[in-house]
Short mmCIF file of all heavy atoms in Angstrom, two decimals:
data_model
loop_
_atom_site.label_atom_id
_atom_site.label_comp_id
_atom_site.label_asym_id
_atom_site.label_seq_id
_atom_site.Cartn_x
_atom_site.Cartn_y
_atom_site.Cartn_z
N VAL A 546 -5.10 38.90 -33.20
CA VAL A 546 -5.66 38.79 -31.88
C VAL A 546 -7.16 39.02 -31.96
O VAL A 546 -7.64 39.85 -32.57
CB VAL A 546 -4.99 39.80 -30.93
CG1 VAL A 546 -5.71 39.80 -29.54
CG2 VAL A 546 -3.54 39.54 -30.82
N VAL A 547 -7.85 38.07 -31.24
CA VAL A 547 -9.37 38.28 -31.12
C VAL A 547 -9.72 38.40 -29.66
O VAL A 547 -9.33 37.67 -28.88
CB VAL A 547 -10.03 37.06 -31.74
CG1 VAL A 547 -11.57 37.06 -31.64
CG2 VAL A 547 -9.71 36.79 -33.21
N ASP A 548 -10.58 39.43 -29.46
CA ASP A 548 -11.16 39.75 -28.08
C ASP A 548 -10.07 39.83 -27.03
O ASP A 548 -10.32 39.44 -25.90
CB ASP A 548 -12.08 38.52 -27.72
CG ASP A 548 -13.25 38.44 -28.63
OD1 ASP A 548 -13.69 39.47 -29.22
OD2 ASP A 548 -13.77 37.34 -28.79
N GLY A 549 -8.86 40.33 -27.40
CA GLY A 549 -7.82 40.60 -26.45
C GLY A 549 -7.13 39.33 -25.95
O GLY A 549 -6.32 39.41 -25.09
N ARG A 550 -7.33 38.18 -26.63
CA ARG A 550 -6.67 36.98 -26.31
C ARG A 550 -5.33 36.94 -26.98
O ARG A 550 -5.23 36.43 -28.07
CB ARG A 550 -7.48 35.79 -26.60
CG ARG A 550 -8.85 35.74 -25.73
CD ARG A 550 -10.04 35.02 -26.43
NE ARG A 550 -9.73 33.63 -26.82
CZ ARG A 550 -10.20 32.62 -26.10
NH1 ARG A 550 -10.93 32.72 -24.98
NH2 ARG A 550 -9.93 31.38 -26.48
N THR A 551 -4.27 37.39 -26.34
CA THR A 551 -3.03 37.50 -26.96
C THR A 551 -2.07 36.41 -26.88
O THR A 551 -1.09 36.36 -27.70
CB THR A 551 -2.27 38.81 -26.28
OG1 THR A 551 -2.13 38.57 -24.87
CG2 THR A 551 -3.09 40.08 -26.53
N ASN A 552 -2.31 35.45 -26.07
CA ASN A 552 -1.51 34.35 -25.98
C ASN A 552 -1.36 33.60 -27.35
O ASN A 552 -2.44 33.41 -27.96
CB ASN A 552 -1.98 33.26 -24.99
CG ASN A 552 -1.10 32.11 -24.70
OD1 ASN A 552 -0.87 31.28 -25.56
ND2 ASN A 552 -0.69 31.93 -23.49
N PRO A 553 -0.21 33.32 -27.80
CA PRO A 553 -0.10 32.71 -29.25
C PRO A 553 -0.98 31.43 -29.37
O PRO A 553 -1.52 31.20 -30.53
CB PRO A 553 1.39 32.37 -29.36
CG PRO A 553 2.04 33.33 -28.41
CD PRO A 553 1.13 33.51 -27.34
N ILE A 554 -1.19 30.63 -28.30
CA ILE A 554 -1.91 29.40 -28.46
C ILE A 554 -3.40 29.90 -28.70
O ILE A 554 -4.14 29.22 -29.57
CB ILE A 554 -1.87 28.64 -27.17
CG1 ILE A 554 -0.55 28.03 -26.93
CG2 ILE A 554 -2.94 27.55 -27.07
CD1 ILE A 554 -0.17 27.41 -25.63
N ASP A 555 -3.93 30.86 -28.08
CA ASP A 555 -5.28 31.38 -28.28
C ASP A 555 -5.46 31.90 -29.66
O ASP A 555 -6.48 31.68 -30.26
CB ASP A 555 -5.64 32.37 -27.21
CG ASP A 555 -5.68 31.77 -25.82
OD1 ASP A 555 -6.15 30.66 -25.57
OD2 ASP A 555 -5.27 32.45 -24.82
N ARG A 556 -4.45 32.62 -30.16
CA ARG A 556 -4.63 33.20 -31.43
C ARG A 556 -4.72 32.06 -32.49
O ARG A 556 -5.67 32.13 -33.45
CB ARG A 556 -3.36 34.05 -31.80
CG ARG A 556 -3.34 35.27 -30.93
CD ARG A 556 -1.93 36.03 -31.05
NE ARG A 556 -1.84 36.61 -32.43
CZ ARG A 556 -0.85 37.39 -32.68
NH1 ARG A 556 0.18 37.67 -31.75
NH2 ARG A 556 -0.71 37.81 -33.89
N LEU A 557 -4.04 31.00 -32.30
CA LEU A 557 -4.11 29.86 -33.19
C LEU A 557 -5.38 29.01 -33.07
O LEU A 557 -6.03 28.71 -34.15
CB LEU A 557 -2.89 28.96 -33.08
CG LEU A 557 -1.53 29.56 -33.57
CD1 LEU A 557 -0.36 28.83 -32.87
CD2 LEU A 557 -1.40 29.37 -35.03
N ILE A 558 -5.79 28.90 -31.86
CA ILE A 558 -7.01 28.04 -31.63
C ILE A 558 -8.30 28.97 -31.93
O ILE A 558 -9.24 28.38 -32.49
CB ILE A 558 -7.02 27.52 -30.17
CG1 ILE A 558 -6.07 26.37 -30.10
CG2 ILE A 558 -8.45 27.06 -29.80
CD1 ILE A 558 -6.07 25.81 -28.67
N ASP A 559 -8.32 30.20 -31.68
CA ASP A 559 -9.34 31.08 -32.07
C ASP A 559 -9.48 31.01 -33.57
O ASP A 559 -10.76 30.98 -34.11
CB ASP A 559 -9.16 32.48 -31.56
CG ASP A 559 -9.37 32.61 -30.11
OD1 ASP A 559 -9.85 31.62 -29.54
OD2 ASP A 559 -8.95 33.68 -29.53
N ALA A 560 -8.47 31.01 -34.33
CA ALA A 560 -8.59 30.97 -35.75
C ALA A 560 -9.24 29.52 -36.22
O ALA A 560 -10.01 29.45 -37.18
CB ALA A 560 -7.20 31.16 -36.42
N GLU A 561 -8.79 28.50 -35.48
CA GLU A 561 -9.43 27.16 -35.68
C GLU A 561 -10.95 27.24 -35.42
O GLU A 561 -11.70 26.74 -36.36
CB GLU A 561 -8.72 26.17 -34.75
CG GLU A 561 -9.34 24.77 -34.73
CD GLU A 561 -8.75 23.79 -35.72
OE1 GLU A 561 -7.74 24.26 -36.34
OE2 GLU A 561 -9.32 22.76 -36.01
N PHE A 562 -11.39 27.76 -34.38
CA PHE A 562 -12.81 28.00 -34.15
C PHE A 562 -13.49 28.72 -35.30
O PHE A 562 -14.53 28.44 -35.70
CB PHE A 562 -13.15 28.56 -32.79
CG PHE A 562 -12.91 27.62 -31.57
CD1 PHE A 562 -12.03 27.89 -30.57
CD2 PHE A 562 -13.56 26.32 -31.62
CE1 PHE A 562 -11.93 27.02 -29.50
CE2 PHE A 562 -13.45 25.47 -30.58
CZ PHE A 562 -12.61 25.78 -29.45
N ALA A 563 -12.87 29.79 -35.70
CA ALA A 563 -13.43 30.73 -36.76
C ALA A 563 -13.59 29.98 -38.00
O ALA A 563 -14.73 30.05 -38.66
CB ALA A 563 -12.60 31.97 -36.91
N ARG A 564 -12.58 29.15 -38.42
CA ARG A 564 -12.75 28.31 -39.62
C ARG A 564 -13.89 27.42 -39.62
O ARG A 564 -14.63 27.18 -40.55
CB ARG A 564 -11.35 27.64 -39.85
CG ARG A 564 -10.21 28.43 -40.45
CD ARG A 564 -9.17 27.52 -40.87
NE ARG A 564 -8.55 26.72 -39.88
CZ ARG A 564 -7.50 27.10 -39.15
NH1 ARG A 564 -6.90 28.36 -39.23
NH2 ARG A 564 -7.05 26.26 -38.22
N ARG A 565 -13.97 26.78 -38.43
CA ARG A 565 -15.21 25.84 -38.24
C ARG A 565 -16.46 26.51 -37.87
O ARG A 565 -17.52 25.79 -37.79
CB ARG A 565 -14.77 24.77 -37.19
CG ARG A 565 -13.59 23.94 -37.71
CD ARG A 565 -13.17 22.77 -36.66
NE ARG A 565 -13.94 22.77 -35.41
CZ ARG A 565 -13.27 22.65 -34.20
NH1 ARG A 565 -11.98 22.69 -34.14
NH2 ARG A 565 -14.01 22.60 -33.20
N GLN A 566 -16.35 27.73 -37.59
CA GLN A 566 -17.61 28.50 -37.20
C GLN A 566 -18.34 27.84 -36.00
O GLN A 566 -19.50 27.66 -35.98
CB GLN A 566 -18.59 28.54 -38.44
CG GLN A 566 -18.07 29.35 -39.56
CD GLN A 566 -19.06 29.37 -40.79
OE1 GLN A 566 -19.93 28.49 -40.90
NE2 GLN A 566 -19.12 30.48 -41.49
N THR A 567 -17.55 27.54 -35.01
CA THR A 567 -17.96 27.09 -33.77
C THR A 567 -17.59 28.00 -32.66
O THR A 567 -16.52 28.77 -32.71
CB THR A 567 -17.40 25.63 -33.49
OG1 THR A 567 -15.98 25.73 -33.48
CG2 THR A 567 -17.91 24.62 -34.47
N SER A 568 -18.32 27.97 -31.53
CA SER A 568 -18.07 28.73 -30.40
C SER A 568 -16.98 28.30 -29.44
O SER A 568 -16.76 27.01 -29.35
CB SER A 568 -19.26 29.18 -29.74
OG SER A 568 -19.89 27.97 -29.18
N ARG A 569 -16.25 29.06 -28.73
CA ARG A 569 -15.31 28.77 -27.78
C ARG A 569 -15.99 28.22 -26.49
O ARG A 569 -17.05 28.72 -26.16
CB ARG A 569 -14.37 29.92 -27.46
CG ARG A 569 -13.65 30.50 -28.64
CD ARG A 569 -12.61 31.53 -28.14
NE ARG A 569 -13.19 32.62 -27.33
CZ ARG A 569 -13.17 33.90 -27.82
NH1 ARG A 569 -12.71 34.19 -28.99
NH2 ARG A 569 -13.73 34.92 -26.96
N PRO A 570 -15.33 27.24 -25.77
CA PRO A 570 -15.94 26.94 -24.50
C PRO A 570 -15.75 28.05 -23.47
O PRO A 570 -14.81 28.94 -23.60
CB PRO A 570 -14.99 25.64 -23.96
CG PRO A 570 -13.65 25.88 -24.91
CD PRO A 570 -14.12 26.60 -26.09
N GLY A 571 -16.52 28.11 -22.51
CA GLY A 571 -16.53 29.12 -21.43
C GLY A 571 -15.32 29.01 -20.57
O GLY A 571 -14.63 27.91 -20.49
N PRO A 572 -14.97 30.04 -19.82
CA PRO A 572 -13.89 30.03 -18.81
C PRO A 572 -14.13 29.23 -17.54
O PRO A 572 -15.25 29.22 -17.10
CB PRO A 572 -13.62 31.48 -18.64
CG PRO A 572 -14.95 32.12 -18.73
CD PRO A 572 -15.61 31.36 -19.81
N LEU A 573 -12.98 28.86 -16.97
CA LEU A 573 -13.11 28.08 -15.64
C LEU A 573 -13.31 29.20 -14.56
O LEU A 573 -12.73 30.26 -14.73
CB LEU A 573 -11.85 27.45 -15.34
CG LEU A 573 -11.63 25.98 -15.96
CD1 LEU A 573 -10.23 25.47 -15.40
CD2 LEU A 573 -12.64 25.03 -15.51
N ASP A 574 -14.05 28.94 -13.49
CA ASP A 574 -14.01 29.77 -12.37
C ASP A 574 -12.63 29.68 -11.64
O ASP A 574 -11.89 28.76 -11.92
CB ASP A 574 -15.27 29.55 -11.39
CG ASP A 574 -15.10 28.23 -10.79
OD1 ASP A 574 -14.22 27.93 -9.91
OD2 ASP A 574 -15.92 27.33 -11.13
N ASP A 575 -12.37 30.60 -10.72
CA ASP A 575 -11.07 30.71 -10.09
C ASP A 575 -10.78 29.46 -9.31
O ASP A 575 -9.58 29.02 -9.26
CB ASP A 575 -11.07 31.95 -9.22
CG ASP A 575 -10.87 33.32 -9.96
OD1 ASP A 575 -10.46 33.12 -11.12
OD2 ASP A 575 -11.01 34.26 -9.47
N GLY A 576 -11.74 28.88 -8.48
CA GLY A 576 -11.51 27.70 -7.78
C GLY A 576 -11.05 26.59 -8.66
O GLY A 576 -10.07 25.84 -8.31
N ALA A 577 -11.85 26.27 -9.69
CA ALA A 577 -11.54 25.21 -10.61
C ALA A 577 -10.07 25.36 -11.26
O ALA A 577 -9.38 24.49 -11.45
CB ALA A 577 -12.62 25.02 -11.60
N PHE A 578 -9.88 26.62 -11.65
CA PHE A 578 -8.63 26.99 -12.25
C PHE A 578 -7.45 26.66 -11.29
O PHE A 578 -6.51 25.97 -11.70
CB PHE A 578 -8.63 28.39 -12.62
CG PHE A 578 -7.13 28.93 -12.84
CD1 PHE A 578 -6.53 28.72 -14.00
CD2 PHE A 578 -6.54 29.73 -11.82
CE1 PHE A 578 -5.21 29.17 -14.18
CE2 PHE A 578 -5.26 30.26 -12.03
CZ PHE A 578 -4.50 29.92 -13.18
#
Side-chain angles (χ1 to χ4, degrees):
V546 174
V547 176
D548 298 334
R550 292 155 60 102
T551 58
N552 186 298
I554 291 171
D555 295 320
R556 294 170 67 175
L557 289 159
I558 287 182
D559 286 348
E561 173 89 9
F562 282 128
R564 280 193 298 272
R565 295 187 350 231
Q566 297 183 326
T567 54
S568 58
R569 304 188 297 245
L573 281 177
D574 64 67
D575 282 345
F578 161 80

